[in-house]
Amino acid sequence: MYKYIFHSFKTTMNMLFLPIVILCILVTGGVSTYIATAQIEENTYQSMNDTIYQTKNYLDHTLSDLFSQLVSISYDSRLVSLLMKEQEQIVPEDYIPIDKNLQIIYGRYSTILESATIDLNVGEFLIYQSEFTKKPVIDYDDFFVNYKPNSENFKWKNVHEDAAFHTGNSVMSMYKLLELNELEKKGIVLFNIREEFFGKVLSRSLIGENGYLALISEDGIYQSKELESKYTLDDKTFQKLHQLSNPKDQITYTNEDNEEMIVIYDTLESNGWKIAAIVPEDDLLNKVEYIKIFALFLIIIMIGLVVFVTNIFISYMSKPFQKLAKQMDLVNENHLYLEEKISGPKEMRVLNRGFIELIDRINVLMDQVILEQEEKRQLEFAIMHAQINPHFLYNTLYSIKGLCDMGMTKEASQMVTALSNFFRIGISKGKEIISVKEEIEHIENYLIIQEMRYGDDFTYEIEVEESILDNEIVKLSLQPLIENAIYHGVKQKRGQGKIVIKGYRDADRIYMEVIDNGSGISEERLAAIHAELQLTYQDQKQYIGIGIKSVNDRIKMQYGEAYGLTIRSVYGEGTSMIITIPVTTGGLD
């Protein structure tokens, strides 16, 4: 067996190399599949949690706002006074202020509010706002069944058929029960919310073919779409959800077809109802199974391909082996195949000797260029870092996602446009020199994005003389300065910050200035920053990042040591960062 394995170069390579490659493919494929499926599963659950969180926040905001209107009108002293009056004591003037308030509420919330009704003493005093012409008839027994003395008696009722106007429409009700026990007076303030509102909100998010969002309360469940009965909550799981003490959690149960169902829920702060995402586990994780099958199929194909290609390659290499060894005796700087001294057949020793001779010849050159290459590599990295900031891109895309989730498509479109223009100018067909006009357009898009992300945290102004717009400038010179002004200037300031970008010409020089009204820099720290601007990329820096350093160095490399970046600051008042470049026009393509 041993003699067969090492019988020839071809069999040795086949028996030693192929098992290692196949093992690597199996390990790599298995690990990659595991990581990918685990990440997809995590992302899927996170996406569902995000969907529930965003839907919950939207419903809480809307319902809380509407509930505050119910509270306000329920505690109106004029309404309580009316409840105490007998029917013959009520005059038309009593209706006017309360009806006016009800009109305002209904007009403001008419898109979600189907009707708003105030009924006192079983119809003795009745006002209402609705799109329906007929009067409502309220069954007091139906509403007062859950009345509790000496409590607020604000109630919620899940989606049900409108029993007041008898329109056949489905509504969700919030209401206030009024009662004066000593006078045996009763009343109700009733807001009916359109079922379509909840349908649109809960149907906005897609959770698989058989998944859905549901609102769960003590008196029932409302789900966003109609499905087979096996996908709806059974009574046991429904009761279990009510008994859970955690405001948000995840549970699983088995439906009537023995399918695993996943329930991820959160609790509305406005009324204590639970909003839940209910989805079959198979629907949720079907992509994971597809990936596993595809990965297995791909591993099999790769192993077969490796075996086939390796055999062709080894067959090709074994025939000209001796001829190749003789040719390698003439090895030079174009043949750097080996990295260490080896022993073996004569041919391999020849290859090794040629490699050693080659290394001896280039070692001196390598020592000379290694520092230059490192400097160049670091500078290229700085440019790349300035062009594409992954953290900035992630935050911007996440902000766009948030706008889309909230239905703010116009704002999302504006941010996408600004982002695409930002990278279009940043790439600029590989050109390192662009016009001042293009550089200003680039930072305008950057500021649009940052302003949409941070809202009113800061404002900005751009004051650039038209006479310098055609002047050339090293691209991506201003963006790192503005980024620094945002994160280390105005964001550190209490209240609204301000950034001013100025551009002007003085004699044969052009000045581009970024000014912020942040907290400023102390004299000692400013001196340290100026010192660090003169250091190399390898030197440790405490106060400036690679972006600021690259701006200064690239300008000096392009225009000379007389130009570059200057920083001025007054502690407690703000900072000014000034780029100085020569007047140069006509050289742009």
Side-chain angles (χ1 to χ4, degrees):
M1 182 67 178
Y2 180 82
K3 291 182 179 179
Y4 174 76
I5 293 176
F6 297 100
H7 174 69
S8 66
F9 177 76
K10 181 177 181 179
T11 56
T12 300
M13 292 295 293
N14 274 324
M15 298 304 295
L16 295 180
F17 176 71
L18 275 179
I20 295 175
V21 173
I22 293 174
L23 180 62
C24 289
I25 292 174
L26 291 173
V27 171
T28 303
V31 172
S32 299
T33 302
Y34 173 79
I35 294 174
T37 53
Q39 187 63 49
I40 289 176
E41 185 172 345
E42 180 183 346
N43 290 345
T44 301
Y45 281 107
Q46 184 61 47
S47 176
M48 287 186 62
N49 277 289
D50 290 345
T51 297
I52 294 173
Y53 177 77
Q54 292 165 6
T55 306
K56 166 187 170 294
N57 283 349
Y58 179 74
L59 286 176
D60 263 332
H61 174 76
T62 304
L63 295 179
S64 296
D65 198 13
L66 190 56
F67 183 73
S68 67
Q69 301 299 323
L70 176 66
V71 172
S72 175
I73 199 169
S74 297
Y75 286 117
D76 192 322
S77 59
R78 292 168 294 189
L79 184 62
V80 177
S81 175
L82 275 172
L83 185 62
M84 299 173 65
K85 290 184 178 181
E86 297 297 333
Q87 184 176 11
E88 59 272 11
Q89 296 176 313
I90 299 175
V91 296
E93 288 76 10
D94 293 331
Y95 287 82
I96 295 174
I98 298 176
D99 185 54
K100 184 176 181 181
N101 284 348
L102 206 61
Q103 286 180 9
I104 293 172
I105 294 173
Y106 182 77
R108 183 183 301 172
Y109 299 96
S110 61
T111 57
I112 63 173
L113 198 59
E114 184 162 291
S115 64
T117 305
I118 299 177
D119 187 300
L120 303 181
N121 299 319
V122 196
E124 290 184 2
F125 177 87
L126 174 67
I127 59 173
Y128 63 92
Q129 292 294 326
S130 173
E131 58 191 27
F132 310 116
T133 56
K134 61 181 180 180
K135 292 184 178 180
V137 178
I138 296 178
D139 184 354
Y140 273 51
D141 293 336
D142 183 35
F143 286 98
F144 274 83
V145 66
N146 294 320
Y147 177 79
K148 296 180 180 179
N150 301 320
S151 68
E152 293 291 335
N153 282 302
F154 285 101
K155 306 292 183 181
W156 299 74
K157 196 171 185 180
N158 210 327
V159 176
H160 59 282
E161 186 175 337
D162 186 356
F165 287 87
H166 301 284
T167 61
N169 294 344
S170 293
V171 295
M172 190 278 283
S173 300
M174 63 170 68
Y175 55 94
K176 163 69 173 176
L177 301 177
L178 307 170
E179 185 171 33
L180 298 175
N181 292 326
E182 65 276 6
L183 299 177
E184 296 184 353
K185 301 286 187 176
K186 291 183 178 181
I188 183 171
V189 181
L190 172 65
F191 287 0
N192 281 337
I193 304 174
R194 303 177 190 274
E195 183 270 341
E196 292 89 346
F197 165 71
F198 295 97
K200 290 179 181 179
V201 173
L202 299 184
S203 300
R204 191 179 300 167
S205 302
L206 302 177
I207 313 179
E209 182 180 355
N210 298 307
Y212 59 94
L213 290 178
L215 278 175
I216 302 171
S217 63
E218 294 180 356
D219 58 331
I221 176 173
Y222 174 74
Q223 61 189 49
S224 57
K225 60 183 179 182
E226 295 295 330
L227 294 169
E228 298 179 48
S229 60
K230 65 181 180 179
Y231 295 119
T232 60
L233 282 179
D234 54 38
D235 292 338
K236 181 178 179 181
T237 308
F238 178 80
Q239 295 299 327
K240 181 179 179 180
L241 278 172
H242 282 294
Q243 297 170 1
L244 294 174
S245 58
N246 292 336
K248 57 185 299 185
D249 206 344
Q250 172 182 324
I251 64 172
T252 59
Y253 73 95
T254 304
N255 67 10
E256 60 189 44
D257 282 1
N258 291 322
E259 291 182 272
E260 286 293 320
M261 302 289 293
I262 297 174
V263 181
I264 301 175
Y265 72 88
D266 204 340
T267 303
L268 295 176
E269 296 177 3
S270 53
N271 57 12
W273 290 3
K274 288 182 171 61
I275 178 170
I278 305 166
V279 60
E281 187 178 48
D282 290 343
D283 282 11
L284 189 64
L285 303 178
N286 57 356
K287 290 184 179 180
V288 174
E289 295 301 321
Y290 294 152
I291 288 178
K292 289 180 179 178
I293 295 172
F294 177 76
L296 179 61
F297 176 76
L298 185 62
I299 289 172
I300 294 173
I301 294 297
M302 289 180 65
I303 290 175
L305 186 63
V306 166
V307 171
F308 177 74
V309 173
T310 300
N311 272 283
I312 294 177
F313 177 74
I314 292 175
S315 296
Y316 173 78
M317 289 294 295
S318 61
K319 292 178 182 178
F321 187 81
Q322 291 184 351
K323 180 179 179 180
L324 179 62
K326 293 178 182 178
Q327 292 176 349
M328 285 298 295
D329 192 45
L330 301 175
V331 68
N332 53 42
E333 61 272 12
N334 295 320
H335 298 84
L336 300 176
Y337 297 140
L338 302 177
E339 297 181 356
E340 61 183 80
K341 185 176 181 180
I342 58 174
S343 60
K346 176 183 177 182
E347 292 82 0
M348 300 303 293
R349 293 197 299 270
V350 171
L351 293 175
N352 184 57
R353 186 172 65 250
F355 175 75
I356 293 174
E357 292 173 355
L358 178 62
I359 292 298
D360 290 339
R361 288 195 296 270
I362 67 172
N363 271 337
V364 175
L365 294 175
M366 290 296 291
D367 290 339
Q368 293 176 358
V369 302
I370 189 168
L371 290 178
E372 297 176 1
Q373 290 295 324
E374 180 64 14
E375 286 280 342
K376 181 180 179 182
R377 187 189 68 81
Q378 291 283 0
L379 187 56
E380 290 174 346
F381 172 80
I383 296 172
M384 179 187 69
H385 178 79
Q387 287 179 328
I388 304 175
N389 188 323
H391 188 66
F392 166 73
L393 179 59
Y394 168 81
N395 285 337
T396 303
L397 292 177
Y398 195 83
S399 298
I400 293 171
K401 175 184 179 297
L403 291 173
C404 293
D405 288 344
M406 292 186 290
M408 301 172 68
T409 55
K410 182 177 180 181
E411 290 81 358
S413 176
Q414 292 175 351
M415 187 173 283
V416 169
T417 301
L419 183 63
S420 63
N421 290 335
F422 174 83
F423 281 108
R424 173 180 58 80
I425 299 173
I427 296 170
S428 61
K429 299 180 181 179
K431 296 187 296 183
E432 274 301 304
I433 306 300
I434 61 175
S435 67
V436 171
K437 181 180 180 181
E438 290 174 308
E439 182 73 4
I440 294 301
E441 183 182 353
H442 182 253
I443 63 168
E444 284 179 336
N445 287 297
Y446 177 78
L447 286 166
I448 288 171
I449 294 169
Q450 295 292 51
E451 188 177 47
M452 293 182 75
R453 284 182 56 204
Y454 294 108
D456 296 328
D457 285 357
F458 72 95
T459 61
Y460 67 91
E461 294 179 4
I462 300 177
E463 304 171 1
V464 180
E465 296 177 357
E466 286 190 11
S467 60
I468 70 169
L469 291 178
D470 291 330
N471 199 86
E472 68 178 37
I473 188 173
V474 177
K475 81 174 177 183
L476 298 176
S477 295
L478 294 177
Q479 186 265 333
L481 307 187
I482 296 173
E483 180 179 0
N484 186 79
I486 293 174
Y487 291 106
H488 301 290
V490 296
K491 282 192 70 177
Q492 308 301 319
K493 172 185 173 63
R494 289 189 176 182
Q496 188 181 60
K498 183 175 182 180
I499 297 174
V500 179
I501 298 95
K502 294 183 177 181
Y504 51 93
R505 176 174 177 174
D506 186 3
D508 60 346
R509 294 191 176 192
I510 288 177
Y511 299 92
M512 304 298 297
E513 189 170 358
V514 177
I515 307 167
D516 69 76
N517 65 344
S519 56
I521 307 171
S522 65
E523 292 183 3
E524 295 80 7
R525 185 169 182 174
L526 186 60
I529 289 173
H530 281 127
E532 288 185 359
L533 284 174
Q534 310 306 319
L535 298 177
T536 65
Y537 281 93
Q538 288 78 19
D539 294 326
Q540 187 69 30
K541 302 172 191 67
Q542 182 179 359
Y543 297 109
I544 64 171
I546 197 168
I548 300 296
K549 171 71 174 169
S550 70
V551 170
N552 184 56
D553 287 1
R554 286 187 292 135
I555 292 174
K556 289 182 179 296
M557 290 176 63
Q558 181 69 25
Y559 302 115
E561 289 296 322
Y563 305 93
L565 176 64
T566 304
I567 303 175
R568 299 171 182 168
S569 183
V570 177
Y571 187 74
E573 295 183 10
T575 302
S576 172
M577 306 182 78
I578 306 168
I579 291 175
T580 306
I581 57 176
V583 175
T584 51
T585 57
L588 300 173
D589 294 331

